[in-house]
Amino acid sequence: QEIFKQQIELFVERYKEKMRTAKTKTEQNAILDDIILIKGTISRTLRLCCQYPELAKEYMESQPKATMD
């Protein structure tokens, strides 16, 4: 469960690190806004994927695939 959470929230953690190194309150507020947006996007995406698993699978299959040359 913890590893799954870490994978899902990878970008949240990156932004939290940026927050720790932010120099001004304005910079911190902008980063906080980004964290809120990222968490909201994660929550909405997970909810939609659980609610409509077939559509989620279809969407994933429609995405470009990485290939080895």
Side-chain angles (χ1 to χ4, degrees):
Q1 181 67 29
E2 189 59 33
I3 292 170
F4 180 79
K5 181 181 176 192
Q6 288 172 356
Q7 290 295 315
I8 294 292
E9 295 185 355
L10 177 66
F11 291 105
V12 174
E13 292 305 314
R14 288 182 183 178
Y15 272 78
K16 284 181 180 178
E17 185 59 37
K18 284 184 179 183
M19 179 76 90
R20 286 188 274 278
T21 61
K23 295 182 180 6
T24 66
K25 186 69 172 165
T26 304
E27 191 178 352
Q28 288 176 343
N29 287 341
I31 293 168
L32 184 59
D33 288 344
D34 289 344
I35 290 172
I36 292 168
L37 178 63
I38 292 167
K39 283 186 168 191
T41 302
I42 291 168
S43 295
R44 183 172 188 271
T45 302
L46 286 172
R47 182 177 46 78
L48 286 170
C49 289
C50 291
Q51 192 171 0
Y52 305 104
E54 289 302 315
L55 293 175
K57 183 179 176 184
E58 193 176 306
Y59 175 79
M60 282 300 297
E61 290 172 353
S62 74
Q63 297 303 299
K65 309 295 185 273
T67 58
M68 300 293 281
D69 289 336

